[in-house]
Amino acid sequence: MPTNTALMAELLRAMSRLAHELLDNGTSLTDAKRIDMVKNAEKLAIAAREPTENLYFQATQTAQNSSIRTAINMGVFEAVPSRGMGVTVAELAQELKVNEHLLVFLIPANRDMFKQMYDFLGLGVYTMPQFLKSKNHQNPIDYNDGAFQYGHRTTLGPFEYVKADPERIKTYNSAMQSLATIGDAAKSAGSFPYGQVMGEGKIVDTDVMIVDVGGGRGQVLTAIKQVFPDLKGRMILQDRRDVIEDAKASGLPSFIEPMAASFFELQPVRGMKAFISHCRQLFSQRSCYPHHYRQ
């Protein structure tokens, strides 16, 4: 039997209220309420499972990820789009010369994004318990000595590791674009009151409006411009030189100013009205933020 029926009932009532608002009133959910629905649904699934089922669910995530990575190795993601129409598992297995029954269990996903998550970040994540144990569970602050280096058995930092192989660079940049698309950059763009800042009448075209630190191919700045087309001021994209060159080669909008820079060094831009930092996703505050705030 489920372990917490009272919680299940509470969550169902909360989801029912959201469902009535969506269906009965004919309105769309706000982003905040949509997130609430997702959280409640996830909590409901946990509450409805037996404790052993929850443990099994968590334990099998690695196996599911491994299945997706195996599908990439098989060439599934190259084969499926080439058809231009539906294809059966039997046809796909014959085309790829792989076992049909094995293929049935593999799950589709974005190829480059998943390669990036599994091959690049995955090893560091999977070996983090051993790494932290080797450091007596102290907070790691050294860019060149972390779980990433431990898992990959390298002395290179994450970006240096990517830069050492052209194929890694290609996969990394493609994956970052995919993550931005899945994360819906336009919604993120609307979360800051750029319009209010612009409406103060103090921004002119020569001012620096936004600096996007570690912004990849400029997908967030592009989304901001789409949400606020009348936004004035310069929009500066900062990233590693190789990433900036790739972004320029891919075709940056004319309103974006590309700038090669590192968030481990002093911020070269002064007087920006806002900055976006992607640094915390991989590095500690001690590694990043002091350099952003120095003016």
Side-chain angles (χ1 to χ4, degrees), residues 81-274:
S82 67
R83 293 283 185 155
M85 56 186 300
V87 57
T88 67
V89 172
E91 292 172 332
L92 193 59
Q94 183 177 5
E95 179 176 333
L96 298 172
K97 296 180 174 59
V98 299
N99 185 276
E100 177 181 343
H101 300 290
L102 177 62
L103 192 58
V104 168
F105 292 99
L106 302 178
I107 309 169
N110 179 280
R111 183 192 61 189
D112 288 340
M113 181 190 71
F114 200 85
K115 284 174 66 177
Q116 171 71 8
M117 297 301 294
Y118 191 89
D119 296 353
F120 183 68
L121 297 177
L123 284 177
V125 172
Y126 298 148
T127 59
M128 187 177 293
Q130 298 97 310
F131 168 73
L132 290 175
K133 184 177 180 181
S134 73
K135 298 297 181 181
N136 295 317
H137 298 100
Q138 299 301 303
N139 184 32
I141 59 174
D142 188 345
Y143 172 75
N144 293 305
D145 184 18
F148 177 87
Q149 287 83 4
Y150 190 91
H152 285 272
R153 299 183 180 181
T154 180
T155 58
L156 297 175
F159 295 122
E160 289 76 16
Y161 183 82
V162 170
K163 191 176 179 180
D165 186 331
E167 188 60 30
R168 289 181 197 146
I169 295 174
K170 180 181 177 181
T171 300
Y172 179 87
N173 290 336
S174 175
M176 292 302 99
Q177 181 72 29
S178 297
L179 285 170
T181 301
I182 292 173
D184 197 341
K187 288 184 179 179
S188 299
S191 63
F192 183 83
Y194 296 104
Q196 179 181 343
V197 174
M198 178 182 65
E200 294 175 356
K202 299 177 182 179
I203 308 297
V204 297
D205 290 335
T206 55
D207 291 333
V208 179
M209 179 63 198
I210 308 170
V211 176
D212 187 2
V213 182
R217 294 182 178 180
Q219 54 271 9
V220 174
L221 292 179
T222 300
I224 291 172
K225 194 67 172 178
Q226 290 173 345
V227 177
F228 302 100
D230 297 326
L231 190 64
K232 294 182 179 180
R234 298 162 59 197
M235 305 179 77
I236 298 177
L237 171 67
Q238 290 184 345
D239 215 309
R240 293 175 57 85
R241 184 170 299 279
D242 53 306
V243 177
I244 290 296
E245 292 303 319
D246 180 77
K248 293 191 314 188
S250 299
L252 280 174
S254 58
F255 59 84
I256 294 180
E257 298 180 35
M259 177 185 293
S262 170
F263 48 52
F264 295 111
E265 299 174 357
L266 194 67
Q267 174 57 254
V269 179
R270 298 290 185 270
M272 78 280 284
K273 304 302 179 183

Side-chain angles (χ1 to χ4, degrees), residues 1-13 43-44 46-50:
M1 292 291 294
T3 57
N4 196 335
T5 53
L7 176 60
M8 289 174 59
E10 178 184 342
L11 292 169
L12 285 168
R13 284 192 291 269
K43 289 178 181 178
L44 179 61
I46 293 172
R49 295 191 194 103
E50 295 282 359

